[in-house]
RNA sequence: GGCUAUGUAGCUCAGCUGGUUAGAGCACACGACUCAUAAUCGUGGUGUCGGCGGUUCAAGUCCGCCCAUAGCCA
């Protein structure tokens, strides 16, 4: 029986830049994809962007762009580059505005229509523009839907409806026959609870004259497809358009956040059933990333983590590892830089990196820089090593990724203990104990080989670097279940960089881009207001850019030389993503002139430039509306 | 209001179908060692296993009620 694995991450709504939640999900998927590839599964991993809908049309309008240009930018300039930098190993990236997707949606719509499961009806109700759906009175709080910024409007509309209710009894039965379908179980219970009541039919279209930004309904040019009947199908259209549907679809796993459980657990299976397609195999539901204090993360709360900043600071492997090791799939988990530093230092630097380092030194010193002859495969370390893969598989299959990683780390710790006990440095002093010495070092090398393969899904670059530092190449997970595959006599490189340099905890604080304002310094912090005196403390000045260059050690920062009238000064500003150095020279900006100087990545910054962020996450600097001389006070 | 989860050492978590003195990692303290990234290894916990009550020879583990947190539904 061939081993096949198809996996999807949720396709992201293309109306803003990726945040840590998007990244968390993709890293989970990346782990599962890499794990299955290494374990001999033919694997296909897909994600993409959801690019239709009223909300996007409006965001585009606000940005002064055509919808297509807008989603092109969000998908191609924001999401895909971010995921590439994060080494998310997807095989296909499906965009819902692509021709291949549109064709597929129309094909499925026809099938469902021909099955008699779509009808036309008029509907009147309260409609939330923000959430793109009709809402009930009961959902409103003070006349507004929680999460929306504007109250819903009355709207009467003729739409096409999908006979979803018709499939409710079937779905309940299917869920009982397939208890493993939705995981973790808590979410399955939730779905079964919802299905005890009628779920109604699903509106699947919008009039084109109101929402032109969508896929046309094939038999009625006056309507376009509504979001879910478009977006969900991306999971299948990616495969179908590549001719891989038959092969992969029956093995599909969807990984989603708990916020979109209902569409995936109820809409999607009934749609598939009506279209005569097999149901996916598993729905994996993860929780949300919270701030370290356990509260929700959000731009408005000012406690959001920028995933790319994390990447710059800690490296791709540490970010993957920490997000996987310190969260529990299915539950909400607090996360922050402290967590990454902790994991990087203890698990990766001290336990794993240092083990590699000490083993390498001893190989270079005692065995001529070569891997010695294999040891007896019946040692405790050998037995535990070849048994490790099965333990890890079990945890991964149960979606307890944090425990899977802990299993491997336990083994790494046992290797450290083994080296301490075997004391190769003592054996090396006595030529008669040479076999013991070689035995011990070979055991350590094999142990590292096994651990590195099993950690590779969470350490996409460093696992291979680790083996390379021992002169070893790639292995499958199955090849960790045989002891002695590291070839004796293999020379190891003379030089190898430190695998995981440790981070000082102090380094964290000083480099933090936005240290939180100390509550004690804000007497009126309760209502967020400050007095005119407090405001007067801030010295805003007009400053002209005389020189701008890239920061040598950070690609998000620019180093600006500013003319502030009577003197010039240097300011480091985090605007490199959206401004080239050339475009800034000659511009007049607003400077906070009496800000305490700070050193950002080794370059002193004497002040701060005012800038904001627009709806697409683009940084925009503040400039005087008419000309003001450099040094002029602003208030 | 109903439902579903969760509540175990300072922190993050493990404890399968009930069974000897409840565990791990991190952090902290002390000790050992020197091959190593001031790393590693060892030793160190009087935790009311959220609370109360019940079933049982035996309950963190089962049952009931209550409290707290999160989410879903109405």
């Amino acid at each position: 029986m061939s081993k096949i694995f198809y996996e999807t991450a949720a396709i992201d709504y293309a109306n803003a830049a990726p945040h840590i939640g998007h990244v968390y999900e993709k890293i989970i998927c990346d782990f599962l994809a890499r794990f299955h590839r290494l374990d001999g599964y033919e694997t296909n991993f897909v994600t993409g962007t959801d690019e239709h809908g009223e909300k996007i049309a409006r965001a585009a309008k606000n940005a002064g762009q055509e919808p297509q240009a807008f989603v092109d930018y969000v998908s191609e300039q924001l999401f895909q580059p971010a995921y590439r930098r994060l080494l998310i190993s997807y095989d296909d990236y499906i965009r819902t505005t692509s021709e291949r997707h549109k064709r597929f949606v129309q094909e499925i719509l026809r099938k469902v229509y021909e099955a008699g499961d779509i009808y036309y009806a008029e509907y009147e109700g309260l409609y939330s523009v923000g959430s793109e759906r009709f809402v009930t009175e009961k959902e409103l709080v003070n006349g507004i839907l929680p999460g929306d910024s504007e109250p819903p409007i009355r709207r009467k509309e003729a739409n096409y409806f999908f006979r979803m209710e018709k499939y409710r009894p079937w779905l309940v039965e299917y869920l009982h026959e397939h208890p493993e379908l939705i995981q973790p179980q808590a979410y399955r219970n939730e779905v079964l609870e919802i299905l005890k009541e009628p779920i109604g039919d699903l509106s699947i279209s919008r009039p084109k004259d109101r929402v032109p930004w969508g896929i046309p309904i094939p038999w009625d040019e006056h309507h376009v497809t509504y979001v879910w009947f478009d977006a969900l199908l991306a999971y299948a259209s990616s495969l179908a358009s590549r001719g891989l549907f038959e092969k992969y679809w029956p093995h599909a796993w969807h990984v989603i956040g708990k916020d979109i459980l209902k569409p995936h657990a109820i809409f999607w299976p009934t749609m598939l059933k009506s279209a005569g397609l097999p149901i996916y195999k598993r729905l994996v539901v993860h929780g949300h990333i919270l701030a370290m204090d356990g509260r929700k993360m959000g731009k408005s709360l000012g406690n959001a983590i920028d995933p790319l900043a994390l990447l710059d600071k800690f490296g791709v492997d540490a970010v993957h590892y920490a997000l996987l090791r310190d969260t529990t799939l299915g539950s909400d988990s607090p996360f922050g830089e402290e967590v990454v530093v902790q994991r990087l230092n203890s698990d990766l630097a001290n336990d794993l990196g240092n083990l590699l380092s000490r083993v390498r030194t001893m190989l270079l010193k005692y065995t001529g820089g070569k891997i010695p002859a294999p040891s007896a495969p019946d040692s405790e370390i050998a037995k535990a090593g070849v048994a490790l893969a099965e333990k890890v598989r079990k945890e991964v299959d149960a979606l307890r990724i944090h425990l899977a990683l802990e299993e491997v780390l336990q083994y790494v710790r046992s290797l450290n203990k083994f080296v301490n006990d075997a004391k190769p440095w003592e054996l090396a002093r006595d030529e008669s104990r040479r076999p013991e010495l070689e035995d011990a070092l070979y055991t350590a090398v094999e142990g590292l080989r096994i651990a590195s393969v099993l950690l590779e899904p969470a350490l996409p670059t460093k696992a291979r670097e680790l083996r390379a530092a021992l002169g070893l190449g790639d292995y499958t997970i199955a090849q960790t279940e045989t002891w002695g595959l590291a070839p004796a006599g293999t020379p190891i490189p003379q030089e190898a960089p430190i695998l995981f340099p440790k981070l000082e905890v102090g380094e964290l604080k000083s480099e933090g881009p936005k240290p939180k304002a100390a509550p004690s310094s804000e007497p009126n912090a309760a209502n967020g207001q400050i007095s005119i005196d407090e405001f007067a403390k801030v010295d805003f000045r007009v400053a002209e850019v005389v020189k701008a260059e890239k920061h040598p050690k950070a690609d998000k920062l620019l180093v600006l030389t500013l003319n502030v009238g009577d003197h010039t000064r240097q300011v480091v500003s985090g605007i490199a993503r959206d401004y080239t150095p050339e475009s800034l020279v000659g511009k007049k900006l607003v400077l906070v002139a009496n800000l305490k100087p700070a050193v950002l990545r080794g370059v002193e910054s004497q002040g701060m430039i005012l800038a904001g962020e627009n709806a697409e996450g683009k940084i925009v600097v503040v400039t005087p509306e008419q000309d003001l001389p450099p040094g002029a006070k602003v208030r």
Side-chain angles (χ1 to χ4, degrees):
Chain A
M1 190 182 110
S2 61
K3 293 159 79 178
I4 296 174
F5 181 66
Y6 176 56
E7 176 190 43
T8 70
I11 60 172
D12 302 312
Y13 201 57
N15 67 338
H19 54 67
I20 190 79
H22 294 114
V23 166
Y24 173 51
E25 175 175 288
K26 271 61 187 179
I27 285 178
I28 291 169
C29 289
D30 184 62
F31 176 91
L32 291 171
R34 288 177 193 272
F35 190 88
H36 283 88
R37 283 189 203 109
L38 277 175
D39 206 17
Y41 287 78
E42 282 189 76
T43 297
N44 218 276
F45 165 24
V46 168
T47 190
T49 29
D50 176 9
E51 306 182 356
H52 287 125
E54 201 168 355
K55 222 160 146 185
I56 282 180
R58 276 192 307 142
K61 203 172 174 185
N62 289 342
Q65 284 179 304
E66 287 302 309
Q68 189 64 54
F70 178 76
V71 295
D72 283 351
Y73 171 77
V74 174
S75 180
E76 291 168 12
Q77 305 299 318
L78 299 181
F79 278 94
Q80 294 181 59
Y83 292 156
R84 275 198 294 271
R85 289 192 54 203
L86 281 154
L87 302 179
I88 305 302
S89 61
Y90 48 77
D91 298 284
D92 186 27
Y93 193 89
I94 182 83
R95 298 181 51 189
T96 59
T97 55
S98 61
E99 279 310 313
R100 58 179 176 139
H101 176 70
K102 293 184 199 170
R103 264 199 306 277
F104 185 80
V105 168
Q106 293 190 327
E107 185 187 318
I108 297 297
L109 275 170
R110 264 187 213 289
K111 274 192 191 171
V112 174
Y113 190 55
E114 279 158 20
D117 284 340
I118 291 179
Y119 63 93
Y120 193 66
E122 195 155 82
Y123 183 87
E124 181 176 3
L126 290 170
Y127 185 83
S128 155
V129 179
S131 303
E132 289 187 41
R133 64 186 179 93
F134 284 93
V135 297
T136 59
E137 297 273 4
K138 287 177 181 171
E139 286 181 85
L140 305 180
V141 178
N142 298 329
I144 188 164
L145 186 72
D148 276 9
S149 51
E150 294 158 28
I153 54 176
R154 269 222 103 66
R155 174 176 286 175
K156 191 170 174 181
E157 211 167 79
N159 290 331
Y160 286 97
F161 285 82
F162 166 57
R163 294 188 197 280
M164 186 163 70
E165 173 62 21
K166 172 181 158 188
Y167 290 99
R168 183 163 65 96
W170 164 81
L171 182 55
V172 171
E173 198 188 325
Y174 193 87
L175 282 169
H176 280 111
E177 285 167 3
H178 301 82
E180 303 294 302
L181 189 73
I182 301 175
Q183 297 195 10
Q185 287 293 305
Y187 295 104
R188 174 175 182 265
N189 295 343
E190 204 171 301
V191 170
L192 283 170
E193 188 58 28
I194 296 173
L195 290 175
K196 283 181 182 163
E197 304 283 329
I199 50 178
D201 290 339
L202 184 66
S203 166
I204 61 159
S205 74
R206 291 291 178 267
K208 196 174 184 174
D209 51 9
R210 182 168 66 75
V211 189
W213 189 237
I215 300 175
I217 297 280
W219 59 86
D220 185 343
E221 58 179 17
H222 301 298
H223 287 78
V224 300
T225 311
Y226 169 63
V227 55
W228 289 111
F229 221 97
D230 171 356
L232 287 164
L233 287 165
Y235 300 139
S237 72
S238 162
L239 287 178
S241 61
R242 291 179 292 151
L244 298 173
F245 189 83
E246 299 292 322
K247 176 176 177 183
Y248 283 106
W249 182 251
H251 307 276
W253 288 26
H254 298 308
V255 177
I256 60 161
K258 63 180 187 179
D259 51 311
I260 48 175
L261 174 64
K262 198 169 161 181
H264 286 79
I266 296 176
F267 303 174
W268 187 217
T270 56
M271 284 161 61
L272 287 166
K273 175 71 177 167
S274 172
L277 298 174
I279 310 309
Y280 53 80
K281 199 170 158 197
R282 246 196 215 195
L283 183 64
V284 177
V285 186
H286 67 252
H288 293 155
I289 297 293
L290 304 175
M292 284 308 286
D293 57 8
R295 298 194 311 167
K296 284 186 183 168
M297 227 177 244
K299 270 186 192 157
S300 49
L301 290 167
N303 59 356
I305 300 175
D306 175 1
L308 294 178
L310 274 187
L311 196 62
D312 290 337
K313 221 156 167 181
F314 304 113
V316 64
D317 295 84
V319 172
H320 279 239
Y321 184 81
L323 268 171
L324 293 167
R325 176 62 188 86
D326 277 289
T327 61
T328 306
L329 209 140
S331 339
D332 293 351
S333 307
F335 187 79
E337 294 197 350
E338 298 93 312
V339 170
V340 188
V341 173
Q342 185 64 254
R343 285 298 166 191
L344 180 60
N345 282 347
S346 61
D347 288 12
L348 300 180
N350 291 352
D351 290 347
L352 184 63
N354 180 53
L355 175 62
L356 171 70
S357 182
R358 62 198 300 212
V359 169
R360 269 183 49 82
T361 304
M362 289 188 283
L363 289 171
L364 291 170
K365 253 173 148 168
Y366 307 144
T367 65
K370 286 182 180 167
I371 296 178
S375 64
D378 54 351
S379 72
E380 287 305 313
I381 288 288
K383 277 191 277 187
V386 297
L388 190 56
E390 195 50 40
K391 285 186 178 177
V392 172
R393 274 195 201 103
K394 227 175 111 189
E395 297 294 4
V396 171
D397 198 56
L399 296 166
R400 306 198 292 189
I401 297 174
H402 62 305
L403 298 184
L405 295 175
E406 180 57 21
E407 283 288 351
V408 186
L409 255 289
Q410 248 174 49
Y411 185 65
V412 170
R413 285 182 214 112
S414 77
L415 288 172
N416 269 317
K417 179 174 165 53
F418 168 80
V419 172
N420 279 27
D421 294 346
K423 299 184 174 57
W425 50 95
E426 262 179 32
L427 301 175
R429 293 189 206 116
D430 184 349
E431 190 50 37
S432 70
R433 303 185 74 181
R434 181 136 198 104
E436 280 177 72
L437 171 67
E438 297 193 345
D439 198 60
L441 290 180
Y442 187 84
T443 300
V445 169
E446 261 300 87
L448 271 169
R449 179 184 71 88
I450 289 170
S452 78
V453 174
L454 291 169
L455 287 173
E456 193 167 325
L459 299 175
T461 73
K462 296 293 183 178
R464 304 184 71 184
E465 279 179 35
L466 187 161
R467 288 193 301 271
L470 294 170
L472 301 174
D474 289 341
Y475 297 87
T476 64
I477 288 175
Q479 287 170 323
T480 68
E481 298 179 285
T482 303
W483 187 261
L485 294 187
T490 305
I492 69 164
Q494 288 293 313
E495 301 289 334
I498 295 287
L499 196 62
F500 293 105
K502 271 183 91 160
L503 269 179
E504 295 303 321
V505 179
E507 229 173 292
L508 231 190
K509 301 294 172 205
S510 62
E511 241 188 77
K514 40 199 158 189
K516 325 137 196 146
S520 57
S521 69
E522 289 176 26
N524 297 319
N527 57 9
Q529 293 178 342
I530 60 169
S531 68
I532 183 79
D533 298 335
E534 287 175 75
F535 171 73
K537 288 181 192 163
V538 185
D539 186 13
F540 292 112
R541 298 281 175 163
V542 172
E544 183 177 4
V545 180
V546 295
K547 195 173 132 197
E549 55 193 10
K550 296 207 160 188
H551 189 293
K553 288 190 340 200
D555 49 17
K556 292 186 93 170
L557 300 180
L558 290 182
V559 182
L560 308 176
T561 305
L562 302 174
N563 171 10
V564 199
D566 53 352
H567 67 285
T568 64
R569 63 165 85 189
Q570 172 177 299
V571 168
V572 179
S573 186
I575 55 175
R577 206 181 63 208
D578 292 299
Y579 287 92
T580 60
E582 304 75 36
S583 69
L584 284 167
V585 175
K587 267 212 168 73
K588 299 244 171 86
L589 305 174
V590 178
L591 169 76
V592 180
N594 60 343
L595 194 67
K596 193 175 163 191
V599 177
L600 298 177
R601 292 233 159 183
V603 177
E604 189 180 8
S605 180
Q606 305 157 319
M608 189 178 102
I609 292 301
L610 296 190
E613 206 173 291
N614 70 11
E616 322 151 37
K618 188 182 175 203
I619 297 163
V620 178
V621 297
V622 176
T623 61
E625 190 262 334
Q626 289 182 32
D627 194 43
L628 285 170
K633 194 159 173 55
V634 179
R635 50 184 160 175

